Amino acid sequence: MSQYRVSGRGRVDTARPVTFTFDGKSYRGAQGDTVASALLANGVHLMGRSFKYHRPRGAIAAGSEEPNALIGTRRGSGRFEPNTRATVQEIWDGLETNSQNKFPSLKFDVGAVNDAAYMLFSAGFYYKTFMWPRSFWDKVYEPFIRAAAGLGVSPIEEDPDTYASRNLHCDVLIVGAGPTGLAAARAAAVEGLRVVLVDENPEAGGTLLSEPQARIDGKAAWDWLAAELEALKALGVKIMTRTTAIAYYHQNMIGLVEKLTDHLPKLPADTPRERLWRVRSKQVVLAQGALEKPLVFHGNDRPGVMLAGSAQTFLNRYGVLVGKRPVILTSHDSAWYAAFDLQDAGAKVQAIVDTRADVDALLQSEARARGIAVKLSHTATATSGRLRVSSLRINPVAGGTVGAAQDIRCDAVLMSGGWTPSLHLFSHTKGSLTWDDDRTTFLPEKTPEDCVIAGASRGLWGIGAALADGAEKGRAVAEALGKTGAQVAYAIEADRPGTGVSHKELPTDLSAGKAKAFVDFQNDVTAKDLRLAVREGMRSIEHVKRYTTNGMATDQGKMSNINGLNIASDALGKKQPQVGLTTFRPPYTPTSFGAFAGYHRGEHFEVTRKTNIDSWAEAKGAVFEPVGQWRRARYFPKPGEDMDTAVRRECAATRASVGIFDASTLGKIEVVGPDAVEFMNRMYTNPWTKLAPGRCRYGLLLGDDGYIRDDGVIGRMTEDRFHVTTTTGGAARVLNMMEDYLQTEWSDLNVWLTSTTEHWSTVALNGPNAAKLLAPFVEGVELTEEAFPHMSCVECTVAGMPARLFRVSFTGEIGFEVNVPAHLGQKLWDILWEAGQQYGITAYGTETMHVLRAEKGYIIVGQDTDGTVTPYDAGMGWAVGKKKPDFVGMRGLARPDLQAKNRKQLVGLLTEDGSKLEEGAQIVFDPKQAIPMTMVGHVTSSYDVGTTDQPIALALVEGGHGKMGETVYIPMPDRTIAAKITATVFVDPENTRLKI
Amino acid sequence: MTAPISSFMPGVLTASAAARVGFAHRCARFSLRARGDLAPLEAALGLSLPDRIGQRTSAGEREVLCLGPDEWVLHAPESDATAITAACAGVYADHPHSLVDISGREVSFVIDGPRGAELLTLGCARDLDTIAVGEGRRTLFDGATVILWRDADNNFRLDCWTSFATHLFHLLDTGVRELGAENH
Amino acid sequence: MLLIHCPYCNETLPEVEFAYASEAHIARPTRPSETTDEDWAEFLFMRSNVKGPLYERWRHVHGCGRFFNAVRDTVTDKFLTTYKAGEPRPDLSSLTEGLK
């Protein structure tokens, strides 16, 4: 057995030894140990170096509040995590751990020179130090800050673990499975409520695990605990351990992070490392307990100086003596019990040093009975020892005067400055706090949530009080949920309630200016830093926090808040409630990015929608691009082709013979009802009344501000039924906008809207041979100019499939869009592909589609428009119905600004030197003007891969419609390009190619 | 790469001791919208149209779920589609409504197994306990709109738009294995 | 994430099922062409942007699809009530009385 392990104590299984490494050295611990308890069992206190001064540090606490003992953990390749608290990480065979913030070694760290340069790193040192000279920034300051900043090292390999999330709904969520939480769970569960009890520790029990001497209802604490947990499970309580409530959101939503594998030597299959639970509970009971405060004195951070309650936990939970000759330094009764427990376990307690003059006589007699020296009315003024404390310097205090010092030899200093209720989650609810002068701490007051706070987290000490309050609060929430709620009482023996006082930094006879009395261990903030901040003008506690970094980072004030507040309020000469607390921010403890990402990583990062023809495109080697949530084939490269070559080939083939295109992603909305045509008249700019069934029309949709929102071809299938198409990205937005007008403004209309985007697979055929290819498959209509002219639509049969056939063109060629029920899309595609071989049919993607439409001057909403373009700006005044009484955007178009002369208007651009313009490039009229130049527009679309003999571009240019033939300039980083303003149609302006 | 939707065949797609996900046979699906007197439509369809959102009724193999104050989704065998269309067309002139074929729009996953309900909590934020057996709801599952039909405590059908199916199946499959591992 | 009561479904459901839809009770003029530029600008652009209870619209977009109205306190993010479109706006004083 290890040197400091006490046989017969603790809940670890010493019969099951576990071997792990720390800084390359192998250690043995027991099943159930944390890294910290196992190292302490081996007599190792030095576990890390501090953030700023690189001072040697050991574990000060035994739980998740630990600020010092931050380690890196490794499990083979890819599984490295920095900043894990050694007091939380459970050991398993093969676990590799490392200390942080040291070079070259933990015992000899060159960074500790910072400790000697203490003045440089005082409060606000960032603000003061890196001011000048300016030239030092790049070469000196920034590299220094970057090297020094941050705790630990970020992992650089991809995380091979998986993460999960789940939603959970319950009646009562109880945070903390100590005596308070257990009693609350029982009170709620006996009423038949859905109860969830969570605890961040590997096992439930809380304080009971550290106080086995207590007896509840006649049973030893641990026996009672085991029986109670079984009873709760039998009542249906969901008990979750290794599960931290990280944050409390609106309306009783609590985030829990459950750690599933970090404690296991072997990773089980299909098991995520962590799971984020989004819990929605009707009532919440916060029973997180209290955190012990350090005392603030010179040298209080030396390894071996730790919290007395934590020493008690190491002994009773892990069977580890943190020292054989400890000295107790306290202002609270609770540390006396720690002294007794350690003494009874074989340690030789050197003294109990209490700052108070009056201490319970019973405690004093118990100390005397054990032969422990007692020093009342004493302060501590220093510690000594290099990498481990070897003595504590104490002085009597009488009438405010610090007397002569005395050194007490020791191997551990166990301190207690009293307890702070854990108010973190309560504060997340925006709960108000009230200052309690007796306890020198804030207590919870009111919360806007359906939440109660119980036990030590509202300032009640002792197991008896915790059980009673837990039972009472459990009953209260059950009543709030309409249950009767029964009174439950527990009989407690050997309980240890106690009292104490709270301090600012302890009085000293040494120079206060040289004292390193730490308040925030993690951020290396001392009492002197806080006082300096106040002297330098920081008045608000929020400013003091930021200037000194007190309570920042993962600590979030767990250790430092009240001590910091006591010192700052003393320096400000104000009472604590006038100074106030800084905000506790979520998460309660550091949380991995993986837990937040959950399942959404890699391929599942976000929703990817695929058409029924997607797998064909993938098999053909298509290169995809995301369009909204869809992935669409962008082009189909043949071996050796880059995008430009492929697109040039696809364009040419479509203009020469026939191209096939998957247009299934186009938004589709079925508008049905007696008022369908009236609805269309009101929604779209175009007139619809005279559109005959079987005909279609290009529709423009505006917002009421008069700007273009969407467009698409709309077919009138029957008198009362329209087949509306929208842009791919606009489908959901347009339907939402239509529903908005219909439900809110025009509830008089008898018409309904249904999304049919996904009911149809849409296969587009374009090119001179499109009709020839398609005609043999179509039953129900002749594909002739007479029977089925351009802008016709019909329900018919294509290759035996029910279809809606549209004769439309987005390329300037003869074009058809064949809609068949989605599950038949691939079948239709295969048939047309096969039959199209005789015409050299070519599949094209969105890039070719973009080029071909630009050659015809067809706009793409969102590319050639940007939410400030009217139909007139886009040269599409022809699409605006002039005789309609109203449509969405009609009044907007009449606004003076939209009628102004020099609006930016859509034009074509041809460069003088034949070069391709960059989309987004700014345009000026006079290239010789002084910078900043007056910009008069920008290039919206630009291509040099199409079927025209020179690059083409579309652009929005101020007053462009009146400047045909004029030259504008596009300044680029290396040169200025001149371009001539042209019409937007570059191919077949007479539309002769549309004729069959 | 996730499986293409076309590779899903009716039957069990993934299973563990905890839960199972299958792919339902295709059926005829209609979106029905109507207001006012529903009796003529009910007569035409041969079933009553429930008036509370979430309620279901059925007649023979026709099954209808109320999704909104004037909205129902109707499932029926594929062979019944023409008859349904004709029946509704017959009453349209006097009782205007909207009947739109959405058979191609959606597919259905079938979820069962002892922890079928829990499987859905991976992606569904609403409290599933509030969907009674024999009812259904439109809701959100992992970023996609879905319709849940609760057929038994742990037996659900999940309708989604086809293009979301591979994304949703990826999560369902992960969940089936994850829950299965917990059972060990 | 908030919980929102849908007055059509008569259920209180997670916020993710809903979409915000701007301030409520801003009626589109029935004859837009007869409105002045000032009135039209008022309708298009001006919103009350209150600190406190705000009448606003939401849509149960992933549920019943209905637009409805709500009163939400923009300071606390608390919904005071929700009600169907077309119903008169509720009296604020009666809503704020019962607050904690």
Side-chain angles (χ1 to χ4, degrees):
Chain A
M1 188 165 297
S2 312
Q3 204 184 346
Y4 290 86
R5 190 77 70 177
V6 188
S7 101
R9 296 288 185 125
R11 299 174 68 83
V12 298
D13 187 353
T14 48
R16 292 165 66 195
V18 174
T19 307
F20 70 104
T21 67
F22 176 65
D23 281 345
K25 191 174 167 202
S26 188
Y27 292 92
R28 262 178 106 179
Q31 181 66 38
D33 261 328
T34 63
V35 172
S37 69
L39 287 174
L40 290 169
N42 285 282
V44 176
H45 272 257
L46 178 63
M47 296 186 198
R49 287 273 175 174
S50 74
F51 177 46
K52 256 180 1 194
Y53 305 126
H54 291 243
R55 287 167 69 93
R57 291 280 169 82
I60 177 177
S64 69
E65 71 274 30
E66 170 60 34
N68 285 335
L70 303 182
I71 56 172
T73 59
R74 181 176 286 285
R75 183 202 291 268
S77 173
R79 291 189 168 91
F80 170 77
E81 186 158 277
N83 294 326
T84 306
R85 283 136 297 159
T87 50
V88 169
Q89 176 64 50
E90 296 166 66
I91 58 168
W92 39 267
D93 269 319
L95 170 69
E96 294 171 52
T97 68
N98 279 93
S99 61
Q100 301 184 158
N101 247 25
K102 44 90 207 294
F103 178 82
S105 77
L106 189 55
K107 287 189 177 164
F108 176 76
D109 174 9
V110 293
V113 66
N114 287 0
D115 197 22
Y118 178 54
M119 291 312 290
L120 190 67
F121 291 90
S122 59
F125 85 101
Y126 279 103
Y127 307 110
K128 294 167 184 167
T129 311
F130 302 115
M131 298 289 285
W132 50 263
R134 194 182 162 80
S135 60
F136 268 41
W137 257 109
D138 291 348
K139 296 274 158 36
V140 183
Y141 295 148
E142 192 179 323
F144 173 82
I145 292 173
R146 286 200 184 280
L151 292 163
V153 180
S154 295
I156 49 168
E157 298 143 300
E158 188 180 334
D159 185 348
D161 283 313
T162 59
Y163 296 82
S165 67
R166 234 171 259 185
N167 295 283
L168 179 66
H169 298 264
C170 60
D171 297 314
V172 183
L173 171 70
I174 298 157
V175 180
T180 308
L182 291 166
R186 173 173 279 273
V190 293
E191 300 298 330
L193 296 167
R194 296 182 294 181
V195 179
V196 178
L197 175 64
V198 302
D199 198 286
E200 62 176 346
N201 290 290
E203 54 177 337
T207 311
L208 298 178
L209 302 175
S210 303
E211 296 203 24
Q213 87 293 336
R215 297 184 68 81
I216 304 168
D217 290 344
K219 283 186 197 156
W222 290 359
D223 295 337
W224 180 86
L225 174 62
E228 186 64 10
L229 290 172
E230 282 312 309
L232 290 176
K233 278 180 209 159
L235 284 167
V237 176
K238 184 179 176 76
I239 301 173
M240 302 167 72
T241 54
R242 296 189 182 91
T243 303
T244 305
I246 57 163
Y248 200 132
Y249 303 102
H250 278 303
Q251 288 172 285
N252 278 12
M253 163 157 276
I254 290 89
L256 308 176
V257 172
E258 181 182 18
K259 288 184 180 289
L260 294 156
T261 62
D262 277 1
H263 62 291
L264 299 176
K266 271 190 150 175
L267 293 179
D270 294 328
T271 303
R273 178 171 174 237
E274 294 177 5
R275 177 179 295 123
L276 178 71
W277 292 84
R278 296 184 181 88
V279 181
R280 183 77 73 171
S281 186
K282 293 192 176 114
Q283 293 282 332
V284 172
V285 179
L286 296 176
Q288 294 170 282
L291 297 170
E292 197 167 20
K293 275 181 301 190
L295 286 163
V296 182
F297 61 100
H298 179 57
N300 64 344
D301 65 326
R302 210 173 289 283
V305 181
M306 61 163 48
L307 295 167
S310 298
Q312 199 177 339
T313 293
F314 281 120
L315 174 61
N316 290 323
R317 250 178 87 181
Y318 300 100
V320 174
L321 271 180
V322 299
K324 293 185 175 173
R325 292 173 295 114
V327 59
I328 311 297
L329 174 67
T330 184
S331 66
H332 196 276
D333 295 346
S334 63
W336 290 66
Y337 295 113
F340 302 158
D341 281 1
L342 267 75
Q343 183 85 4
D344 296 348
K348 176 99 189 81
V349 174
Q350 302 295 293
I352 298 175
V353 180
D354 200 310
T355 63
R356 298 170 296 173
D358 295 316
V359 175
D360 190 342
L362 211 61
L363 288 176
Q364 296 194 49
S365 69
E366 278 212 43
R368 270 195 301 277
R370 286 174 171 86
I372 303 172
V374 171
K375 306 272 184 184
L376 299 185
S377 298
H378 271 67
T379 183
T381 48
T383 59
S384 56
R386 201 173 78 83
L387 299 173
R388 170 86 183 261
V389 68
S390 60
S391 73
L392 176 70
R393 183 177 185 270
I394 64 167
N395 311 54
V397 181
T401 310
V402 178
Q406 172 197 350
D407 280 332
I408 302 178
R409 301 288 298 170
C410 61
D411 63 354
V413 175
L414 309 184
M415 61 182 167
S416 177
W419 298 77
T420 305
S422 179
L423 295 169
H424 292 71
L425 288 182
F426 185 81
S427 295
H428 295 177
T429 70
K430 290 202 172 290
S432 59
L433 305 178
T434 175
W435 179 255
D436 183 293
D437 244 340
D438 288 346
R439 297 183 181 86
T440 331
T441 195
F442 280 102
L443 293 177
E445 194 180 25
K446 272 168 134 181
T447 166
E449 298 290 347
D450 289 322
C451 161
V452 295
I453 185 162
S457 47
R458 68 180 191 101
L460 303 173
W461 309 134
I463 292 168
L467 287 166
D469 198 42
E472 167 52 28
K473 294 298 189 293
R475 191 192 59 76
V477 296
E479 269 186 11
L481 293 170
K483 303 288 180 181
T484 46
Q487 299 281 356
V488 183
Y490 296 87
I492 316 298
E493 299 158 64
D495 196 4
R496 292 167 165 182
T499 61
V501 299
S502 184
H503 290 285
K504 54 186 199 283
E505 64 271 56
L506 294 179
T508 182
D509 58 336
L510 302 175
S511 159
K514 288 191 178 152
K516 282 175 197 165
F518 286 88
V519 177
D520 181 333
F521 293 74
Q522 186 167 81
N523 296 300
D524 268 350
V525 180
T526 65
K528 203 194 72 169
D529 290 327
L530 293 167
R531 291 187 181 277
L532 182 64
V534 170
R535 271 207 310 283
E536 293 187 346
M538 305 303 139
R539 289 293 175 270
S540 151
I541 193 70
E542 297 287 353
H543 290 157
V544 171
K545 169 178 169 175
R546 273 133 193 104
Y547 200 56
T548 62
T549 69
N550 193 57
M552 306 246 283
T554 69
D555 179 63
Q556 282 302 308
K558 291 188 191 75
M559 287 273 142
S560 60
N561 250 12
I562 296 297
N563 282 337
L565 174 63
N566 287 345
I567 292 163
S569 59
D570 182 62
L572 285 161
K574 288 181 181 172
K575 295 281 290 173
Q576 289 91 336
Q578 271 87 60
V579 177
L581 267 192
T582 55
T583 312
F584 298 104
R585 294 184 197 284
Y588 177 67
T589 51
T591 305
S592 72
F593 285 113
F596 288 114
Y599 300 108
H600 296 118
R601 58 183 296 191
E603 232 183 280
H604 202 77
F605 177 64
E606 59 182 355
V607 173
T608 302
R609 298 174 68 181
K610 296 175 185 172
T611 74
N612 279 264
I613 297 156
D614 175 274
S615 34
W616 185 91
E618 188 173 308
K620 286 285 174 189
V623 174
F624 291 92
E625 69 168 343
V627 182
Q629 289 179 317
W630 293 96
R631 71 164 201 169
R632 302 192 70 183
R634 191 175 186 190
Y635 56 98
F636 293 82
K638 292 197 164 169
E641 281 187 338
D642 62 6
M643 183 171 91
D644 283 358
T645 320
V647 170
R648 208 168 270 130
R649 173 179 52 75
E650 292 172 13
C651 284
T654 304
R655 291 240 187 272
S657 179
V658 63
I660 186 167
F661 176 68
D662 179 9
S664 302
T665 64
L666 276 186
K668 298 167 207 81
I669 299 165
E670 192 99 329
V671 178
V672 181
D675 293 323
V677 72
E678 173 61 15
F679 176 75
M680 294 302 297
N681 278 334
R682 293 191 197 180
M683 266 336 287
Y684 280 81
T685 61
N686 322 62
W688 299 95
T689 310
K690 288 182 183 160
L691 184 74
R695 298 290 294 164
C696 45
R697 179 167 286 169
Y698 172 82
L700 253 188
L701 182 72
L702 311 185
D704 250 330
D705 51 14
Y707 296 131
I708 295 173
R709 288 287 193 283
D710 201 77
D711 68 351
V713 169
I714 294 160
R716 191 171 195 175
M717 305 315 298
T718 64
E719 196 67 25
D720 288 358
R721 188 177 287 256
F722 286 80
H723 178 117
V724 174
T725 68
T726 73
T727 57
T728 293
R733 198 171 52 239
V734 170
L735 183 57
N736 189 68
M737 177 178 166
M738 288 181 174
E739 282 286 354
D740 193 348
Y741 278 93
L742 189 54
Q743 291 182 31
T744 317
E745 306 292 347
W746 306 328
S747 49
D748 56 310
L749 294 185
N750 219 8
V751 60
W752 293 272
L753 314 171
T754 305
S755 171
T756 48
T757 301
E758 295 222 29
H759 176 62
W760 304 108
S761 274
T762 308
V763 179
L765 291 175
N766 278 273
N769 287 320
K772 263 181 263 174
L773 166 59
L774 185 60
F777 298 103
V778 178
E779 288 175 54
V781 62
E782 294 283 316
L783 297 193
T784 61
E785 207 52 56
E786 299 69 37
F788 200 61
H790 186 58
M791 299 310 265
S792 297
C793 58
V794 70
E795 288 203 339
C796 61
T797 302
V798 176
M801 295 171 234
R804 278 188 185 172
L805 178 61
F806 283 70
R807 181 162 170 208
V808 292
S809 175
F810 199 43
T811 58
E813 303 299 321
I814 296 164
F816 297 93
E817 284 177 8
V818 193
N819 296 278
V820 294
H823 60 279
L824 300 174
Q826 185 59 54
K827 188 176 161 196
L828 172 70
W829 181 280
D830 288 341
I831 289 169
L832 294 174
W833 180 254
E834 188 59 38
Q837 293 308 313
Q838 58 181 309
Y839 302 109
I841 190 170
T842 298
Y844 65 91
T846 51
E847 192 65 24
T848 290
M849 179 266 279
H850 280 200
V851 177
L852 295 176
R853 65 87 205 176
E855 291 180 346
K856 289 292 293 179
Y858 298 147
I859 63 163
I860 289 198
V861 174
Q863 177 166 340
D864 303 300
T865 71
D866 61 1
T868 67
V869 176
T870 71
Y872 299 104
D873 298 340
M876 300 164 80
W878 51 265
V880 179
K882 309 294 186 296
K883 293 178 188 155
K884 299 204 290 181
D886 184 29
F887 59 81
V888 174
M890 182 175 166
R891 178 62 186 86
L893 284 173
R895 289 154 59 203
D897 285 353
L898 274 65
Q899 299 276 323
K901 280 263 178 309
N902 262 348
R903 291 187 57 79
K904 287 178 184 167
Q905 294 162 337
L906 192 71
V907 295
L909 288 184
L910 292 173
T911 55
E912 287 182 0
D913 63 357
S915 63
K916 183 194 165 197
L917 293 170
E918 270 190 38
E919 288 178 358
Q922 294 293 320
I923 297 167
V924 301
F925 289 141
D926 173 11
K928 299 203 176 71
Q929 62 186 304
I931 292 172
M933 298 187 185
T934 304
M935 294 175 283
V936 296
H938 69 278
V939 178
T940 62
S941 295
S942 176
Y943 307 97
D944 69 347
V945 288
T947 53
T948 54
D949 50 15
Q950 61 173 319
I952 59 160
L954 298 175
L956 285 164
V957 176
E958 243 174 54
H961 292 163
K963 294 187 189 303
M964 288 298 141
E966 292 183 24
T967 301
V968 291
Y969 299 88
I970 297 93
M972 299 302 291
D974 56 338
R975 67 203 169 110
T976 294
I977 304 171
K980 197 172 70 174
I981 295 183
T982 70
T984 54
V985 185
F986 301 95
V987 165
D988 187 25
E990 290 80 34
N991 287 331
T992 54
R993 301 180 64 86
L994 289 175
K995 295 260 191 293
I996 292 177
Chain B
M1 200 81 258
T2 49
I5 179 68
S6 53
S7 72
F8 293 159
M9 299 301 281
V12 175
L13 299 173
T14 180
S16 71
R20 202 162 63 151
V21 175
F23 196 62
H25 284 276
R26 284 194 324 98
C27 66
R29 302 160 195 263
F30 291 94
S31 169
L32 174 64
R33 309 288 301 272
R35 285 187 284 267
D37 180 15
L38 302 173
L41 266 173
E42 291 177 323
L45 288 167
L47 47 65
S48 67
L49 294 171
D51 61 1
R52 186 172 57 76
I53 294 169
Q55 255 184 326
R56 282 157 58 177
T57 56
S58 62
E61 290 187 81
R62 292 182 184 176
E63 191 172 23
V64 68
L65 164 64
C66 180
L67 293 176
D70 63 351
E71 181 181 4
W72 295 264
V73 63
L74 172 63
H75 286 189
E78 283 191 291
S79 56
D80 196 16
T82 319
I84 289 170
T85 310
C88 288
V91 298
Y92 178 83
D94 292 332
H95 301 280
H97 61 272
S98 162
L99 182 80
V100 175
D101 185 357
I102 52 166
S103 312
R105 188 175 82 175
E106 294 171 16
V107 293
S108 300
F109 292 108
V110 181
I111 289 135
D112 62 5
R115 294 171 74 192
E118 200 170 353
L119 174 62
L120 290 173
T121 69
L122 270 67
C124 184
R126 69 168 287 155
D127 188 354
L128 295 165
D129 288 0
T130 61
I131 307 177
V133 171
E135 295 196 351
R137 293 290 191 288
R138 188 155 51 197
T139 182
L140 202 63
F141 184 82
D142 198 29
T145 308
V146 300
I147 296 170
L148 292 176
W149 307 66
R150 187 170 210 164
D151 295 325
D153 274 345
N154 280 299
N155 191 341
F156 292 82
R157 277 171 286 156
L158 182 153
D159 303 347
C160 69
W161 289 10
T162 311
S163 69
F164 291 95
T166 56
H167 175 83
L168 298 188
F169 178 69
H170 187 263
L171 180 62
L172 290 169
D173 184 37
T174 303
V176 161
R177 286 183 283 116
E178 185 185 313
L179 289 167
E182 285 172 34
N183 270 4
H184 292 163
Chain C
M1 189 168 63
L2 301 173
L3 289 171
I4 301 175
H5 184 82
C6 173
Y8 292 93
C9 295
N10 198 24
E11 283 190 291
T12 303
L13 297 163
E15 185 186 340
V16 289
E17 290 193 6
F18 298 83
Y20 183 66
S22 185
E23 191 168 350
H25 300 294
I26 296 175
R28 187 173 186 269
T30 43
R31 290 192 176 77
S33 51
E34 292 168 21
T35 57
T36 63
D37 283 342
E38 289 68 32
D39 288 349
W40 189 250
E42 182 75 19
F43 159 72
L44 271 187
F45 303 121
M46 304 315 280
R47 298 294 180 266
S48 59
N49 194 25
V50 294
K51 182 178 179 183
L54 172 69
Y55 295 95
E56 61 189 18
R57 302 190 313 138
W58 287 76
R59 184 179 182 209
H60 192 188
V61 63
H62 300 291
C64 68
R66 293 289 104 186
F67 284 85
F68 61 89
N69 293 328
V71 184
R72 183 181 56 99
D73 190 317
T74 59
V75 177
T76 62
D77 223 4
K78 201 175 169 59
F79 278 83
L80 306 181
T81 189
T82 58
Y83 51 103
K84 292 179 179 176
E87 289 179 357
R89 66 173 88 197
D91 175 37
L92 271 190
S93 57
S94 67
L95 292 173
T96 43
E97 253 169 33
L99 289 183
K100 286 183 202 174

